[in-house]
Amino acid sequence: MPNTFELIASSTVGAGGAATISFTSIPSTYTDLQIVYSLRSDTGSAADNAEITFNGSTSTYSSRRLYGSGSAAASDSSATYTISSFIVGDGATSNTFGNGSLYMPNYAGSTNKSYSIDAVNETNATGAFSGLYALLWATTSAITSIQFKPNGGTIFKQYSTAYLYGVKNA
Amino acid sequence: MPAGSTYTPIATTTLGSAAADYTFTSIPSTYTDLRIIASPASSDNLYSMGMQFNSDTTSNYSMTELRGNGTSALSSRLSNQTVAWVSYNMSPGTTLGDNAITIDIFNYANTTTFKTAISRFNVMGGSYQGTGAIVSLWRKTPEAISSVKLTMTGANFKAGSTFTLYGIASA
């Protein structure tokens, strides 16, 4: 029986860090994509955001976010890709990483690309968040590459990881 | 011995024409949980999306939701509903690809418990956009779920909307 849920590629950041994590040459043979990631940037703050872009494009992104800080719940929106997901910064508790899961149906199709992200950066301290995101890349191109980049920091720290999976509907 | 598949596609469809609803039927009882991945658009700019199990149209459903519309965080609950809400007061809109919805239905095949579902919705089309999650309870005398009907209340799903049902095995 063919695998429904397959690992396409993985990335683990080594010593010295990495300015980006990229998945390229993504095959069009699956139905949906899922990325599971664990990220820490070198920003001095406790929290940071990951910028997630597709096919090298920096336009036609939008999102609506629902999040909690441990003391309040709030919702906001964005017209860019720059706050795609909560992650942890280097000012947070040692050895903690922001974790998230991105799911995109029909990534290789010819309609707009809507995707969900559930992300947390729990650190046993303040400055931690839990969030649900609705995101849209209003472009009808098939996804062939995905890039993660820190928004506040300059690199992802060692031991940051990201795993790209393909999901088949038949 | 190779392990059996844990995550198996059961059925999938891309609507060839507009439809008021779509139903997964004859769902086998051999899995533990079900997952539905939906990418819907609507013929109208309004209305919510719901689901019904085993053709039950009576007021056996209830829900608690948490959602954000980009301005405010909101929560509400409804009891004695005739549908399990998948997205509530958030309209998919008319553009294909603008919305992504995941529905998890837990322990769907037993005949001993009420059934719980979680809908994780992302609605970026239409007049009412946002994100969130809804937990629904189906309180009919316990029975295995053999069909799931997805509906747009008061509108049609647009041609090109996609729905896929997966079975998840626990062993």
Side-chain angles (χ1 to χ4, degrees):
Chain A
M1 177 179 294
N3 282 330
T4 303
F5 197 90
E6 286 188 321
L7 179 67
I8 299 173
S10 63
S11 179
T12 301
V13 175
T20 63
I21 292 174
S22 298
F23 299 107
T24 61
S25 302
I26 298 172
S28 61
T29 50
Y30 301 94
T31 309
D32 306 334
L33 294 178
Q34 179 156 5
I35 305 173
V36 180
Y37 51 90
S38 180
L39 303 172
R40 184 179 178 106
S41 80
D42 65 339
T43 186
S45 304
D48 197 354
N49 290 287
E51 302 178 354
I52 303 173
T53 54
F54 305 101
N55 296 5
S57 172
T58 57
S59 62
T60 70
Y61 295 89
S62 60
S63 66
R64 293 180 190 262
R65 179 175 64 176
L66 170 67
Y67 66 96
S69 64
S71 59
S75 182
D76 57 11
S77 62
S78 173
T80 76
Y81 57 91
T82 57
I83 54 167
S84 298
S85 173
F86 291 124
I87 63 171
V88 163
D90 225 11
T93 305
S94 298
N95 300 316
T96 61
F97 288 73
N99 296 288
S101 178
L102 179 157
Y103 196 95
M104 178 185 285
N106 303 322
Y107 73 101
S110 58
T111 60
N112 284 346
K113 304 303 182 289
S114 178
Y115 50 111
S116 66
I117 288 179
D118 297 350
V120 297
N121 58 0
E122 175 54 41
T123 61
N124 194 37
T126 58
F129 299 90
S130 174
L132 304 180
Y133 297 72
L135 307 103
L136 178 68
W137 186 43
T139 306
T140 58
S141 303
I143 303 291
T144 58
S145 66
I146 303 171
Q147 177 178 278
F148 288 73
K149 182 176 179 293
N151 176 254
T154 56
I155 60 169
F156 291 121
K157 299 283 287 186
Q158 185 181 21
Y159 307 122
S160 294
T161 60
Y163 301 91
L164 172 66
Y165 299 91
V167 183
K168 292 183 178 179
N169 71 354
Chain B
M1 174 183 294
S5 178
T6 302
Y7 194 82
T8 305
I10 298 173
T12 188
T13 192
T14 301
L15 294 182
S17 58
D21 50 65
Y22 181 76
T23 303
F24 293 106
T25 60
S26 303
I27 299 172
S29 62
T30 50
Y31 302 97
T32 307
D33 306 320
L34 299 174
R35 169 168 281 193
I36 297 171
I37 304 293
S39 186
S42 172
S43 60
D44 203 294
N45 209 14
L46 301 174
Y47 304 111
S48 304
M49 182 172 164
M51 62 183 171
Q52 293 168 324
F53 303 121
N54 296 1
S55 303
D56 183 8
T57 60
T58 60
S59 55
N60 282 327
Y61 305 90
S62 60
M63 72 97 170
T64 300
E65 65 152 351
L66 175 66
R67 61 182 150 103
N69 59 13
T71 301
S72 303
L74 307 160
S75 184
S76 67
R77 67 168 288 99
L78 294 170
S79 300
N80 304 315
Q81 302 291 289
T82 58
V83 295
W85 295 108
V86 172
S87 65
Y88 190 70
N89 285 343
M90 293 204 159
S91 57
T94 59
T95 303
L96 291 169
D98 276 2
N99 313 290
I101 297 174
T102 300
I103 304 168
D104 285 303
I105 306 169
F106 303 96
N107 295 317
Y108 75 100
N110 75 47
T111 59
T112 54
T113 67
F114 293 152
K115 303 303 183 287
T116 297
I118 295 178
S119 167
R120 172 75 178 88
F121 56 88
N122 298 297
V123 179
M124 293 297 285
S127 298
Y128 302 96
Q129 302 178 7
T131 187
I134 292 176
V135 58
S136 296
L137 180 68
W138 184 42
R139 297 178 340 275
K140 187 180 179 185
T141 299
E143 60 187 48
I145 292 175
S146 59
S147 70
V148 180
K149 178 180 180 181
L150 301 168
T151 67
M152 285 297 303
T153 55
N156 288 330
F157 289 119
K158 193 173 180 178
S161 297
T162 64
F163 307 97
T164 301
L165 174 68
Y166 296 90
I168 301 173
S170 65

